[in-house]
Amino acid sequence: MTAYVIETLIKILLLVLIFSALAGFTTYVERKVLAFFQRRLGPTIVGPFGVLQILADGIKLFTKEDIVPSGANRLIFRIAPTITAATAFIAMAPIPFFPEFELFGRTIQPIVSDINVGILFVLGVGAAGLYGPLLAGISANSKWSLLGAARVAVQLLSFEVVSGLSLLAPLMLIGSLSLIDINNYQNGGITDWLIFSQPLAFLLFLFAGYAELNRTPFDLLEHEAEIIAGYATEYAGMRWGMFFIGEYASMIALSFVVSLIFLGGFNPLGFIPGGIAIILKVMFFIFLFMWARAAYPHIRPDQLMGLCWRVLFPLALLNVFITGIVVLGGGN
């Protein structure tokens, strides 16, 4: 038991440190990718190829004055960014990032907690993350922050319904909520990937992920052209930075979840080992998020809600209905 506790604590520490660093590095990569699409240079001055811009930004955030508006609820205002960052990392607990491996004669599973309802845990904790921007906007005593908070409630709650329903169909085929079981279900090769038997579920979950992560073209929670910076308008320094650490950590986590559920997870891909295969898949989805930001304009809030309830929600219900018929008929 002592060895298990120590191993778990080490996993938690590594998860927080590695994904915090990756979240910071992803901001650099996104700036370079956007610069490429927009025919700019991006970060070039600080360090080789501008890579030390991450360090410069970190120093700026840590040394910037932490301002709290005079009319704000100070306690909630200070706690809100922590909720966003914490839920992003807690949601990673049941995600198996790589295949198990041997280290010093001990079998290591790259997962903090292998619970049998892993995907339900991820969705539940991810949904709790909406309280961060929601409380931030309400507590700031600013009309722009309050408008951003209202959009948080409407947008994230709506697309939580779509993401849950989109996963219901593939879970009906697998018969398990464990992400390891979902990964193992696809161990027969590319033809077993769920993206081929559930392409609609894949697209629905991906669209819902864009909205829940507040990524372009669904980044209405902080639409600078309309509401300055949304729920984060009154934040500065590291508290502002924690919102975006949570956002980028969630983006990486979602890329792992999509890869595990629909693209064969960490099963070997031909001559490519499973660990490298899932890294390549995750990198593809992260690039896809950045590509969409560079290529597509914002949409209006009414268009977003119309897309959710008039298009995606009915399609998700239809997919569950058809899958149920197939399962009851003995298909897979």
Side-chain angles (χ1 to χ4, degrees), residues 254-296:
L254 179 68
S255 299
F256 270 102
V257 170
V258 176
S259 301
L260 286 164
I261 296 177
F262 293 103
L263 294 185
F266 53 73
N267 292 300
L269 183 58
F271 63 89
I272 303 176
I276 297 177
I278 193 169
I279 290 176
L280 294 175
K281 296 168 188 175
V282 169
M283 290 173 62
F284 167 76
F285 282 113
I286 292 175
F287 174 74
L288 197 62
F289 284 117
M290 299 175 182
W291 189 359
R293 181 176 178 181
Y296 293 100

Side-chain angles (χ1 to χ4, degrees), residues 217-271:
F218 304 151
D219 57 335
L220 302 181
L221 312 187
E222 47 176 293
H223 198 311
E224 293 88 347
E226 297 177 359
I227 52 177
I228 304 179
Y231 62 89
T233 299
E234 303 296 338
Y235 281 88
M238 198 56 209
R239 295 188 193 280
W240 178 88
M242 289 179 71
F243 282 119
F244 293 93
I245 289 175
E247 178 182 323
Y248 281 91
S250 296
M251 183 172 69
I252 298 170
L254 179 68
S255 299
F256 270 102
V257 170
V258 176
S259 301
L260 286 164
I261 296 177
F262 293 103
L263 294 185
F266 53 73
N267 292 300
L269 183 58
F271 63 89

Side-chain angles (χ1 to χ4, degrees), residues 144-169:
W144 305 116
S145 299
L146 184 60
L147 180 57
R151 289 186 175 182
V152 167
V154 173
Q155 178 173 322
L156 298 192
L157 288 176
S158 298
F159 279 90
E160 278 293 331
V161 176
V162 174
S163 64
L165 281 176
S166 66
L167 289 182
L168 187 57

Side-chain angles (χ1 to χ4, degrees), residues 172 317-327:
M172 291 165 64
L317 285 177
L318 179 64
N319 193 45
V320 171
F321 178 71
I322 295 174
T323 304
I325 293 176
V326 172
V327 172

Side-chain angles (χ1 to χ4, degrees), residues 30-260:
E30 181 166 39
R31 293 169 73 176
K32 296 297 282 189
V33 169
L34 293 178
F36 172 78
F37 278 109
Q38 297 165 356
R39 303 185 72 176
R40 298 184 289 106
L41 294 178
T44 57
I45 304 300
V46 188
F49 305 102
V51 71
L52 293 182
Q53 185 66 49
I54 310 166
L55 179 61
D57 290 341
I59 294 173
K60 179 183 71 175
L61 291 176
F62 274 108
T63 56
K64 210 169 184 181
E65 183 180 0
D66 181 20
I67 299 173
V68 179
S70 57
N73 185 314
R74 302 180 71 86
L75 177 62
I76 297 178
F77 186 86
R78 293 179 185 276
I79 292 176
T82 308
I83 296 175
T84 299
T87 52
F89 289 105
I90 294 172
M92 298 180 189
I95 299 177
F97 296 103
F98 302 103
E100 62 181 29
F101 57 91
E102 296 286 334
L103 183 65
F104 303 123
R106 183 179 178 86
T107 301
I108 304 296
Q109 291 187 332
I111 181 173
V112 174
S113 179
D114 181 15
I115 55 179
N116 57 3
V117 290
I119 188 60
L120 192 62
F121 181 89
V122 172
L123 292 177
V125 175
L130 74 88
Y131 285 103
L134 181 62
L135 292 175
I138 293 173
S139 65
N141 191 32
S142 163
K143 62 180 179 180
W144 305 116
S145 299
L146 184 60
L147 180 57
R151 289 186 175 182
V152 167
V154 173
Q155 178 173 322
L156 298 192
L157 288 176
S158 298
F159 279 90
E160 278 293 331
V161 176
V162 174
S163 64
L165 281 176
S166 66
L167 289 182
L168 187 57
L171 292 177
M172 291 165 64
L173 297 177
I174 299 167
S176 173
L177 294 170
S178 168
L179 283 165
I180 291 181
D181 291 342
I182 294 171
N183 175 85
N184 294 340
Y185 180 85
Q186 306 170 81
N187 61 7
I190 294 180
T191 55
D192 282 353
W193 287 7
L194 284 171
I195 190 175
F196 298 115
S197 58
Q198 289 289 331
L200 182 56
F202 167 74
L203 291 175
L204 291 171
F205 187 68
L206 195 61
F207 287 152
Y210 271 88
E212 292 181 52
L213 290 177
N214 189 32
R215 299 289 304 182
T216 305
F218 304 151
D219 57 335
L220 302 181
L221 312 187
E222 47 176 293
H223 198 311
E224 293 88 347
E226 297 177 359
I227 52 177
I228 304 179
Y231 62 89
T233 299
E234 303 296 338
Y235 281 88
M238 198 56 209
R239 295 188 193 280
W240 178 88
M242 289 179 71
F243 282 119
F244 293 93
I245 289 175
E247 178 182 323
Y248 281 91
S250 296
M251 183 172 69
I252 298 170
L254 179 68
S255 299
F256 270 102
V257 170
V258 176
S259 301
L260 286 164

